[in-house]
Amino acid sequence: MPFLLNSMGAEPRHNYTAVIYVQIGAALGPNAALYKLVRTITKSQFVERILVLWAADRPLPLKKRWPPTSHIPLHVISLGGSTRSQGAGPTSQTTEGRPSISQRFLPYEEIQTDAVLSLDEDAILNTDELDFAYTVWRDFPERIVGYPARAHFWDDSKNAWGYTSKWTNYYSIVLTGAAFYHRYYNYLYTNWLSLLLLKTVQQSSNCEDILMNLLVSHVTRKPPIKVTQRKGYKDRETGRSPWNDPDHFIQRQSCLNTFAAVFGYMPLIRSNLRMDPMLYRDPVSNLRKKYRQIELVGS
């Protein structure tokens, strides 16, 4: 596998490409979550490029509406039609023929780094959290490394697999709304997975993150890795949003069981490992801590 080649002398592709998937497409301005997220990413010491996948019904924002990204190239791709580039590189045109939420995992030519940072448009993370997660991913490039974790379980009452976002002493899924993974999985997801799996995602417009977790665990036979975040971190399934809906969870449980049936077994693996920043809670001067923003709740 590509992420094992470095031990055989291949040159690793350093840094990461941030891929932001936009479904809602709220008005873009300095106070918008997407605007703030792009600004946060540009401050990262490891980011090489930002790729925005615009899947919203609203038209693409004008170039002048996006935050300045200085030396970081910003590419905005409309999954329904055109592509606009800001920063380095010319404007180009792209057309995608199969509209699906799985398009967030296509092997885009703009992704030239091994590391992909997958983000939802409303992810709330600071630069320290991004940089720390990337440093962890570099040690585990074959795994999904990220923040919001979920768990699967066997429900005896329903004789089926269940899915939960409740706090547990283990997890088996790290959502791709804020996670790093190797770009090779984009190729596998798009070209190797059963068409039935991809069709399930397309019909439900949901569950692509669960399917990516099953794929990675199937390939590696290892669980994802959760990294710590500020206690104030919120994500779609635990806050007030369309994703925090009973039908949403029922649908995801249905997907989970369909996926397991197609795979022929349950690939997900439980883990209770969590990676915390070095000196995170040690009695050391805050100025000496490498990722001190992670401790600043609400920053």
Side-chain angles (χ1 to χ4, degrees):
M1 285 177 276
F3 33 76
L4 301 179
L5 293 179
N6 293 343
S7 61
M8 295 182 280
E11 183 67 25
R13 294 179 177 87
H14 294 297
N15 297 332
Y16 67 83
T17 302
V19 179
I20 308 173
Y21 188 74
V22 179
Q23 271 187 296
I24 300 172
L28 195 60
N31 294 322
L34 176 58
Y35 190 101
K36 293 178 180 178
L37 181 60
V38 171
R39 289 192 61 184
T40 296
I41 297 169
T42 59
K43 297 175 185 177
S44 170
Q45 60 180 307
F46 302 115
V47 65
E48 180 173 297
R49 184 174 303 189
I50 302 173
L51 180 60
V52 177
L53 304 179
W54 192 269
D57 291 333
R58 297 188 182 190
L60 279 174
L62 297 174
K63 184 176 179 179
K64 64 181 181 181
R65 302 289 296 176
W66 294 91
T69 57
S70 61
H71 62 290
I72 307 299
L74 172 64
H75 303 272
V76 184
I77 297 179
S78 173
L79 298 184
S82 64
T83 301
R84 297 180 183 178
S85 300
Q86 178 176 324
T91 300
S92 60
Q93 298 293 320
T94 300
T95 300
E96 244 344 299
R98 53 163 196 172
S100 169
I101 198 171
S102 288
Q103 286 181 316
R104 73 183 301 165
F105 297 137
L106 287 174
Y108 294 95
E109 62 181 14
E110 288 86 357
I111 302 175
Q112 296 296 314
T113 58
D114 285 343
V116 176
L117 170 58
S118 176
L119 293 163
D120 288 335
E121 66 200 280
D122 54 357
I124 304 174
L125 294 168
N126 62 39
T127 306
D128 270 1
E129 288 169 318
L130 300 181
D131 286 353
F132 172 61
Y134 174 68
T135 61
V136 173
W137 178 87
R138 284 191 303 189
D139 291 330
F140 303 93
E142 77 280 14
R143 305 209 214 176
I144 296 175
V145 176
Y147 286 98
R150 300 289 182 263
H152 79 291
F153 61 94
W154 181 255
D155 189 338
D156 283 323
S157 65
K158 297 179 180 179
N159 196 34
W161 294 105
Y163 168 90
T164 181
S165 64
K166 295 179 180 179
W167 288 100
T168 62
N169 60 359
Y170 73 92
Y171 63 91
S172 54
I173 296 169
V174 167
L175 301 184
T176 54
F180 284 92
Y181 65 88
H182 197 287
R183 67 171 180 162
Y184 179 58
Y185 290 121
N186 280 351
Y187 172 81
L188 290 182
Y189 186 103
T190 303
N191 298 290
W192 181 81
L193 282 176
S194 162
L195 291 178
L196 179 56
L197 294 170
L198 297 177
K199 187 176 181 180
T200 300
V201 170
Q202 183 167 354
Q203 290 179 338
S204 64
S205 292
N206 197 343
C207 309
E208 83 291 350
D209 49 356
I210 297 177
L211 181 54
M212 177 61 88
N213 272 266
L214 266 76
L215 170 63
V216 176
S217 290
H218 173 73
V219 170
T220 63
R221 301 307 303 141
K222 296 176 181 178
I225 293 177
K226 175 175 170 54
V227 286
T228 193
Q229 75 273 335
R230 293 162 296 157
K231 290 182 179 179
Y233 178 84
K234 301 293 182 185
D235 61 73
R236 287 178 168 180
E237 291 184 356
T238 57
R240 291 183 178 180
S241 77
W243 287 267
N244 189 20
D245 182 282
D247 290 338
H248 172 73
F249 283 91
I250 293 172
Q251 189 176 55
R252 288 171 77 78
Q253 290 187 130
S254 176
C255 287
L256 189 62
N257 283 279
T258 299
F259 296 159
V262 175
F263 273 95
Y265 77 112
M266 173 51 74
L268 295 177
I269 300 171
R270 295 182 178 184
S271 175
N272 53 21
L273 173 68
R274 186 183 73 177
M275 295 294 188
D276 289 340
M278 193 82 77
L279 303 180
Y280 176 54
R281 289 298 180 189
D282 286 13
V284 175
S285 168
N286 194 51
L287 294 177
R288 291 172 58 194
K289 296 184 179 182
K290 190 172 182 180
Y291 300 104
R292 55 184 181 270
Q293 285 189 57
I294 298 180
E295 280 191 289
L296 302 179
V297 177
S299 62

